Amino acid sequence: MNNNLIVYPTGLLISLLITLTITPYIRSYCLNAAITDRLDSRSQHKSPIVRTGGLGIFISFIITLTFFWSIKSFEQIDKNQILIISSIILGSTIFFLIGLIDDLKNLSPFSRLTIQFFSSSLVWVMGLRIDIINFLWLDNIQIPIIASFLITIFWITGITNAINWLDGLDGLAAGLIVISLTNIILFSLTNEIFYIALISSIICGSCLGFLNYNLYPAKILMGDGGSYFLGFTLSILSILSCQLP
């Protein structure tokens, strides 16, 4: 992975510009198609508002990540890290699609949670997991495989649904993600996990671009698609940023 510091603000800027560009088109299409928020007790909006802004965040992430892959910014990473990146892409896509389908079709909470647990189990099998504890006096403690499985899937689904609940207030979910990812970027650079820093920078840029349309009074919400995507990636990146390369 290229550790040139210019890579990270470049990734952030590219994803920011893509999100800024495509989000108005997504909003316009969804307004015309009447794909808007279901007003409930958690909503602060008095009139219907587009809730598929996560599509812009996700598309921006995929395009920017593909761009950096094509210019071989990841050429120095090993096979294990390639598997990790592939797992992040697969897992985040599944979580995004779960949320997007819910935005469009209104899935039951049980269906959503079942698919989330299944998807979390899948990425655990692929190696995205919590299996070592470093906390206070506990140094590199290997935890049993069953405990690793349970802790990992509950961490992923817990963070994902926590971010989902924050999406009702303008700018709150995206703003929190930006703050969290900024810390992950700095932590990853400190630990020299450069590919995690780049992925975090790309997502951070997507969120900053989205915030331009999501700050009060919001013109668009990220919806379950966006919040599930961001919740999943935040949960995984927070795990990986604490691991030594």
Side-chain angles (χ1 to χ4, degrees):
M1 172 66 211
N2 190 343
N3 60 0
N4 188 341
L5 291 180
I6 194 63
V7 169
Y8 311 107
T10 301
L12 186 150
L13 181 61
I14 292 174
S15 60
L16 184 152
L17 292 175
I18 293 174
T19 309
L20 283 174
T21 302
I22 64 178
T23 299
Y25 292 100
I26 294 172
R27 178 176 181 270
S28 177
Y29 174 83
C30 290
L31 281 174
N32 293 332
I35 303 173
T36 55
D37 188 27
R38 298 182 294 271
L39 299 180
D40 55 31
S41 58
R42 290 197 300 125
S43 177
Q44 69 176 134
H45 307 103
K46 304 302 181 184
S47 58
I49 183 172
V50 172
R51 54 174 294 159
T52 53
L55 183 59
I57 295 173
F58 179 74
I59 291 174
S60 173
F61 166 71
I62 294 298
I63 291 176
T64 309
L65 191 63
T66 301
F67 167 74
F68 278 99
W69 193 279
S70 67
I71 63 173
K72 302 186 183 304
S73 288
F74 294 97
E75 63 181 348
Q76 296 180 22
I77 63 177
D78 57 34
K79 291 182 179 180
N80 181 59
Q81 292 170 335
I82 292 175
L83 178 61
I84 290 174
I85 294 174
S86 301
S87 301
I88 292 173
I89 295 172
L90 175 62
S92 63
T93 300
I94 293 173
F95 270 79
F96 168 72
L97 290 176
I98 297 169
L100 183 62
I101 292 171
D102 183 53
D103 289 330
L104 301 175
K105 300 295 184 180
N106 193 17
L107 297 174
S108 69
F110 178 77
S111 298
R112 282 178 282 160
L113 197 58
T114 300
I115 301 173
Q116 287 175 17
F117 276 127
F118 173 79
S119 304
S120 301
S121 302
L122 178 62
V123 298
W124 181 87
V125 170
M126 296 182 70
L128 299 181
R129 61 180 65 172
I130 301 171
D131 52 13
I132 295 177
I133 296 179
N134 284 295
F135 182 71
L136 297 178
W137 63 90
L138 301 176
D139 185 23
N140 289 328
I141 302 298
Q142 190 82 28
I143 61 178
I145 189 168
I146 296 299
S148 169
F149 175 74
L150 293 175
I151 292 171
T152 301
I153 64 173
F154 279 105
W155 173 260
I156 294 172
T157 56
I159 295 296
T160 298
N161 286 287
I163 298 300
N164 177 247
W165 273 89
L166 295 177
D167 188 38
L169 297 176
D170 296 347
L172 181 58
L176 179 62
I177 292 294
V178 169
I179 294 171
S180 301
L181 288 179
T182 299
N183 285 281
I184 289 176
I185 292 167
L186 296 175
F187 211 75
S188 298
L189 291 175
T190 300
N191 287 342
E192 298 186 351
I193 314 177
F194 300 114
Y195 74 104
I196 295 300
L198 178 55
I199 293 173
S200 301
S201 299
I202 292 171
I203 300 174
C204 190
S206 298
C207 289
L208 287 172
F210 175 74
L211 274 172
N212 183 65
Y213 307 103
N214 186 239
L215 292 175
Y216 182 83
K219 300 179 179 67
I220 189 170
L221 300 176
M222 68 174 64
D224 289 349
S227 62
Y228 283 8
F229 167 73
L230 292 174
F232 171 81
T233 52
L234 177 62
S235 67
I236 293 300
L237 293 172
S238 64
I239 295 172
L240 295 173
S241 65
C242 297
Q243 297 178 353
L244 294 177

